[in-house]
Amino acid sequence: MRLLLIEDERRVAVQIVEALEAERFTVDTASDGEDGYHLGATEIYRAIVLDLSLPRLDGVSVLRAWRREGLATPVLLLTARNRWQDRVEGLNSGGDDYLGKPFRMEELIARINALIRRAGGAASPVASVGAITLDPQARRVTRDGRAITLTAHEYKVFATLIQAPDTVHSKADLAEIVYGLHDERDSNTIEVFVARLRRKLGPASIETVRGLGYRLGPA
């Protein structure tokens, strides 16, 4: 649920961050290509939104550098350029999708969700394990058809677990997803979120793998 936005137009960046955070994404930002390249190369993200026209280092150069280094994170390109050649260059350089400016936030969010699903090998956005179901489009979690109310942090932890149910996630990994780059991170608070989720979803809903972390249980 953690994203990187690289956009130099402050007004546009603020609007995108507000829209994504309302959808319970955690968003790190950069306003130029050099800082954006560094974040993408050193931090872990589910997807990256990259403007092509950036100061210090343009978006295509950033993207090519990531792909040369083996970074496989899906990248959505933003472009105000009208030439089709520019869009083709971005896609050929390793971009996964593009969106022309101006755009509607609903479409941006839908495209990001689609990229994340494809990267995870899932055609449907709905994920289910046992009696528990997550519908990320509706931001809705149910157990036996009954809606369960989760806080934003609880939702991020649970969404990470259910979208990779066989994976063991360490507390540090979950903290990376829950908190932004500049947020104070305390891995002990992940234990608190897991305890709350167990109370709401059932004590067997999340397994503790001793010394390693957590994974989704049989619920």
Side-chain angles (χ1 to χ4, degrees), residues 21 26-28 153 156 178-186:
E21 289 183 342
T26 299
V27 187
D28 293 340
H153 286 340
K156 291 176 183 178
V178 168
Y179 299 109
L181 182 65
H182 302 294
D183 294 336
E184 183 177 351
R185 302 175 189 179
D186 182 354

Side-chain angles (χ1 to χ4, degrees), residues 17-215:
V17 169
E18 289 177 350
L20 292 174
E21 289 183 342
E23 296 294 317
R24 299 189 177 182
F25 287 105
T26 299
V27 187
D28 293 340
T29 61
S31 59
D32 67 70
E34 288 188 1
D35 287 345
Y37 161 78
H38 178 73
L39 286 176
T42 58
E43 299 290 330
I44 298 174
Y45 298 102
R46 296 294 297 278
I48 298 172
V49 181
L50 173 66
D51 187 37
L52 289 180
S53 299
L54 294 168
R56 300 178 70 185
L57 189 64
D58 67 272
V60 169
S61 297
V62 170
L63 184 55
R64 286 174 174 166
W66 284 336
R67 296 313 191 215
R68 281 197 305 269
E69 295 162 10
L71 183 72
T73 306
V75 175
L76 173 64
L77 304 174
L78 299 182
T79 175
R81 302 173 181 176
N82 295 321
R83 293 193 332 126
W84 64 267
Q85 292 94 335
D86 294 324
R87 298 192 292 270
V88 169
E89 182 183 25
L91 293 173
N92 285 340
S93 297
D96 297 275
D97 196 1
Y98 75 88
L99 192 57
K101 296 179 179 179
F103 53 82
R104 295 189 65 86
M105 291 299 171
E106 293 86 351
E107 183 176 4
L108 173 73
I109 292 166
R111 287 177 181 268
I112 290 171
N113 283 326
L115 287 180
I116 292 172
R117 288 199 305 273
R118 290 202 296 269
S124 171
V126 177
S128 296
V129 173
I132 302 176
T133 297
L134 168 78
D135 184 344
Q137 291 183 340
R139 294 296 183 265
R140 178 182 173 88
V141 176
T142 60
R143 180 185 173 93
D144 293 318
R146 180 175 61 89
I148 306 296
T149 302
L150 302 181
T151 67
H153 286 340
E154 292 167 0
Y155 179 90
K156 291 176 183 178
V157 171
F158 180 69
T160 300
L161 294 174
I162 198 172
Q163 289 172 351
D166 298 323
T167 300
V168 177
H169 298 269
S170 70
K171 289 190 291 184
D173 289 342
L174 292 172
E176 286 281 344
I177 292 167
V178 168
Y179 299 109
L181 182 65
H182 302 294
D183 294 336
E184 183 177 351
R185 302 175 189 179
D186 182 354
S187 62
N188 290 331
T189 60
I190 299 300
E191 297 177 355
V192 175
F193 299 144
V194 169
R196 291 177 185 171
L197 287 167
R198 285 171 172 158
R199 287 198 297 270
K200 294 179 179 182
L201 300 173
S205 59
I206 300 175
E207 296 180 4
T208 298
V209 181
R210 187 174 299 276
L212 296 176
Y214 303 101
R215 68 181 167 204

